[in-house]
Amino acid sequence: MPTMLTDVFRGHPIHLPHSHQPDFTSLSELPDSYTWTPKDDPLLDAAPSPPAASENIPLIDLNHPDAANQIGSACRTWGAFQIANHGVPLELLQGIEFLTGSLFQLPVQRKLKAARSETGFSGYGVARISSFFNKQMWSEGFTITGSPLNDFRKLWPQHHLNNYCDIVEEYEEQMQKLASKLMWLSLTSLGVSEEDIKWASANPDLNWAQSALQLNHYPVCPEPDRAMGLAAHTDSTLLTILHQNNTAGLQVFRDDLGWVTVPPVPDSLVVNVGDLFHILSNGLFKSVLHRARVNQTRSRLSVAFLWGPQSDIKISPVPKLVSPVGSPLYRSVTWTEYLRTKATHFNEALSMIKNDIDE
Ligand SMILES: C=C1C[C@]23C[C@@]1(O)CC[C@H]2[C@@]12CCC[C@@](C)(C(=O)O1)[C@H]2[C@@H]3C(=O)O
Ligand SMILES: O=C(O)CCC(=O)C(=O)O
Ligand SMILES: [Fe+2]
């Protein structure tokens, strides 16, 4: 029986030094514990010198005949892109955004009834990566995997539950289909076909995959330039599909450009390459370092669909992408093993499974 995402942190507790959610609305000044300096995050103000020309991640129309190559190119240069004409109904995007807004508007005491435990996977809490930083992040989150019914019962009265659970279920279904389509479009651009990765069949039931939804809220912040919404990280996934509301905040990092803001484009979705896709592509696709900044006048919501393989599946570089005389850049790893490595080594996790290769 493969480990489900719900079991990943069982026996691997994540101790969060500051797991008490503040009532953000009551703070008119940024407390010291929320004030970030380059000592707290060396990449905080990273900018190239001389300053780079302004560039942005590509916006790709999925109906474009050349979409596969455009996606492949974006995965190689940015590790991120936005998509239009993705086929996800607009009402569903509005529905999940409404649900997310309603959840975070609840009083703190109510949200804490559904708090994520140290060994748990789902529920309400501070960002999981908080334990790696001395300062607190200006955000709150809610993780969902499988049916959210048990957690939602702790938040809302019975009459909301069916509707909210239906939205989550429908959203996950649509995202799953879209993620598989995007993965195959990008792999096609590398000349990789279903013959090369037998476990990742594109058949509609996608029973080799699993996922989680991460709902994020970044409240209005009195001093946004000194605060951090979600610190720089890569996702451990194959792919992450992100819906953001109409407030900017997401930034992606490029060595030659520094931090680049991803502007919200109405009705489009952001796609990030995660660490497992980086491994599968033998490092050709870059898992993108990204973070979320906050805003002085507008609160921000985002919904991340984190997508990866079932836990009995070992991910390793596709042999076709390894040079005939070279060795794979990475050892094989399951998503569970990788999440646990990430939970202890954070942004070093990818380099920990790198093969020693004499160059
Ligand atoms: C499946 C997962 C990926 C994730 C950890 C999690 O168990 C659920 C939340 C995900 C998230 C979202 C915010 C950033 C991140 C690094 C984190 O701490 O929690 C990612 C994790 C990840 O991709 O490694
Ligand atoms: O809110 C955002 O834009 C980023 C969220 C994110 O990176 C995540 O949930 O993994
Ligand atoms: Fe992320």
Side-chain angles (χ1 to χ4, degrees):
M1 187 60 181
T3 333
M4 309 293 287
L5 281 175
T6 37
D7 300 323
V8 163
F9 302 115
R10 209 161 275 169
H12 293 74
I14 297 188
H15 300 290
L16 296 176
H18 7 252
S19 49
H20 287 295
Q21 284 306 105
D23 183 359
F24 291 102
T25 52
S26 69
L27 300 173
S28 56
E29 265 181 29
L30 199 64
D32 185 51
S33 57
Y34 285 86
T35 307
W36 290 60
T37 69
K39 238 178 29 244
D40 305 305
D41 173 0
L43 283 178
L44 188 65
D45 299 321
S49 157
S54 73
E55 268 195 69
N56 215 321
I57 65 169
L59 173 61
I60 298 170
D61 178 348
L62 283 197
N63 288 341
H64 193 284
D66 195 38
N69 287 326
Q70 293 176 9
I71 291 175
S73 158
C75 290
R76 283 193 300 273
T77 51
W78 288 91
F81 53 94
Q82 303 213 57
I83 45 173
N85 287 320
H86 41 65
V88 180
L90 199 54
E91 311 82 70
L92 191 56
L93 295 179
Q94 288 162 345
I96 199 82
E97 189 176 318
F98 177 81
L99 181 156
T100 305
S102 315
L103 191 157
F104 290 116
Q105 264 170 29
L106 294 169
V108 186
Q109 285 319 318
R110 179 88 66 82
K111 290 183 276 195
L112 284 172
K113 287 192 191 307
R116 201 180 60 223
S117 73
E118 281 197 344
T119 51
F121 186 91
S122 54
Y124 174 73
V126 297
R128 217 173 259 286
I129 55 177
S130 299
S131 56
F132 296 98
F133 297 92
N134 293 323
K135 294 301 168 101
Q136 291 186 249
M137 299 177 210
W138 195 263
S139 61
E140 50 184 345
F142 197 97
T143 314
I144 298 172
T145 190
S147 167
L149 185 59
N150 275 341
D151 283 327
F152 282 5
R153 265 205 193 103
K154 301 171 192 159
L155 300 175
W156 287 299
Q158 185 68 32
H159 65 269
H160 280 314
L161 297 180
N162 278 350
N163 181 26
Y164 285 177
C165 288
D166 286 352
I167 293 176
V168 168
E169 196 183 321
E170 174 66 15
Y171 192 75
E172 284 178 339
E173 242 170 64
Q174 291 279 337
M175 286 292 133
Q176 168 105 331
K177 272 200 291 189
L178 180 59
S180 164
K181 175 172 173 178
L182 293 169
M183 183 177 90
W184 282 110
L185 283 172
S186 43
L187 286 172
T188 308
S189 77
L190 295 178
V192 174
S193 68
E194 283 197 52
E195 272 304 294
D196 301 307
I197 318 180
K198 297 261 177 5
W199 53 262
S201 125
N203 72 17
D205 66 0
L206 291 170
N207 52 9
W208 59 267
Q210 59 179 335
S211 64
L213 271 188
Q214 174 70 24
L215 316 182
N216 300 304
H217 175 222
Y218 308 92
V220 166
C221 177
E223 289 182 80
D225 294 343
R226 305 203 304 144
M228 179 58 71
L230 186 60
H233 66 278
T234 58
D235 294 341
S236 64
T237 53
L238 284 168
L239 290 174
T240 300
I241 304 178
L242 186 97
H243 168 68
Q244 51 177 340
N245 73 350
N246 59 4
T247 301
L250 174 65
Q251 295 184 322
V252 298
F253 188 76
R254 245 181 59 177
D255 292 335
D256 55 339
L257 300 175
W259 288 108
V260 176
T261 298
V262 177
V265 176
D267 311 339
S268 73
L269 294 163
V270 181
V271 184
N272 289 341
V273 170
D275 295 337
L276 293 185
F277 211 26
H278 182 109
I279 296 168
L280 187 71
S281 67
N282 201 33
L284 288 174
F285 293 158
K286 305 282 172 260
S287 55
V288 65
L289 191 65
H290 56 285
R291 69 181 183 185
R293 301 308 307 254
V294 293
N295 193 288
Q296 192 155 22
T297 51
R298 297 155 66 110
S299 69
R300 177 163 182 272
L301 298 171
S302 73
V303 179
F305 174 78
L306 300 137
W307 188 68
Q310 289 284 355
S311 278
D312 52 347
I313 294 173
K314 286 268 188 193
I315 300 292
S316 49
V318 179
K320 214 181 211 175
L321 302 177
V322 178
S323 111
V325 289
S327 331
L329 284 183
Y330 297 96
R331 291 193 291 282
S332 70
V333 66
T334 66
W335 196 12
T336 301
E337 288 161 355
Y338 193 74
L339 278 168
R340 289 178 181 159
T341 307
K342 191 114 181 184
T344 38
H345 299 281
F346 188 38
N347 282 346
E348 301 303 314
L350 196 53
S351 56
M352 298 213 36
I353 56 154
K354 209 160 184 191
N355 277 324
D356 296 323
I357 296 172
D358 296 329
E359 278 158 67

